[in-house]
Amino acid sequence: DQQVKQNSPSLSVQEGRISILNCDYTNSMFDYFLWYKKYPAEGPTFLISISSIKDKNEDGRFTVFLNKSAKHLSLHIVPSQPGDSAVYFCAASAPRGGADGLTFGKGTHLIIQP
Amino acid sequence: GAGVSQSPSNKVTEKGKDVELRCDPISGHTALYWYRQSLGQGLEFLIYFQGNSAPDKSGLPSDRFSAERTGGSVSTLTIQRTQQEDSAVYLCASSLAEGQSQHFGDGTRLSIL
């Protein structure tokens, strides 16, 4: 049973517009959430994270929103740029931290159209 | 470079052979993680090291899988008697400490014929 779900396998957005990537989770023990970006043949690169004590974290063009009651988080990228085209993974961790590793979604392939 | 280094980058081997995958974490990172990504799937957590010890090995898919870390640095993931379902990209990550964001290597793409 998937504990972290990214229901959109792909998303196409026009350059300059906002990209919104969604993620849902089922494990209420998760207390830390991360977004990773992955280019082909490379490892995932950390983008931004949020602790469960917050509902928003912003870093430049990237903002992550957390809705704990809905067990939902989203990553907003604005404005979207061609270099943002990649696969984006949502990940979560529980208080046992490293002992359980990170639980990842299957990823959303973001395509930025010129 | 200063990032996580994995070798080999690609490995093709016959079913039944043993393989050893290597990970060099970022210098000074005490926590090290192994993940596997099968085709079309997200990353699946395999094992975590804090220093040289792995407190929980239950994430390893079967007893054909083993991992060790020596000197608090390099780690090897060994798969014995490989099966076709072991084909995947094996990713290693390290972090400064448990709970910090993880930095990933580029992975080893393992193909079992």
Side-chain angles (χ1 to χ4, degrees), chain A residues 7-111:
Chain A
N7 291 320
S8 298
S10 66
L11 175 67
S12 184
V13 174
Q14 201 165 16
E15 181 179 357
R17 301 283 184 114
I18 183 170
S19 296
I20 300 176
L21 297 107
N22 292 303
C23 178
D24 297 290
Y25 61 96
T26 58
N27 187 345
S28 56
M29 296 299 292
F30 288 146
D31 64 352
Y32 190 59
F33 303 89
L34 309 91
W35 284 94
Y36 282 83
K37 173 180 179 179
K38 186 180 184 301
Y39 293 118
E42 294 183 11
T45 303
F46 170 73
L47 262 182
I48 192 169
S49 62
I50 188 167
S51 164
S52 60
I53 63 173
K54 293 187 172 183
D55 55 18
K56 176 182 175 182
N57 188 26
E58 191 172 353
D59 182 2
R61 296 186 299 113
F62 302 92
T63 303
V64 56
F65 295 92
L66 175 63
N67 182 335
K68 281 180 296 186
S69 61
K71 293 193 177 69
H72 177 84
L73 65 154
S74 60
L75 174 68
H76 293 211
I77 306 172
V78 55
S80 300
Q81 299 174 353
D84 296 332
S85 295
V87 177
Y88 289 78
F89 289 98
C90 172
S93 73
R96 259 167 51 95
D100 290 328
L102 293 174
T103 302
F104 283 82
K106 291 187 178 183
T108 295
H109 185 193
L110 177 64
I111 302 161

Side-chain angles (χ1 to χ4, degrees), chain B residues 52-113:
Chain B
N52 288 337
S53 71
D56 185 351
K57 300 181 180 181
S58 62
L60 294 174
S62 76
D63 58 9
R64 295 184 296 103
F65 287 71
S66 63
E68 64 176 22
R69 188 180 186 195
T70 54
S73 182
V74 171
S75 176
T76 54
L77 177 69
T78 301
I79 310 173
Q80 295 179 308
R81 304 180 303 282
T82 52
Q83 303 293 313
Q84 286 187 331
E85 64 261 27
D86 300 334
S87 295
V89 177
Y90 289 81
L91 289 152
C92 175
S94 69
S95 63
L96 200 55
E98 180 181 328
Q100 302 290 312
S101 62
Q102 297 175 23
H103 300 261
F104 283 81
D106 288 340
T108 294
R109 181 174 296 277
L110 178 64
S111 301
I112 309 299
L113 303 179

Side-chain angles (χ1 to χ4, degrees), chain B residues 5 22-34 49-52 68-76 92-94:
Chain B
S5 177
R22 177 188 167 104
C23 172
D24 272 291
I26 292 172
S27 178
H29 281 197
T30 61
L32 185 146
Y33 310 79
W34 282 98
F49 287 91
Q50 179 57 46
N52 288 337
E68 64 176 22
R69 188 180 186 195
T70 54
S73 182
V74 171
S75 176
T76 54
C92 175
S94 69

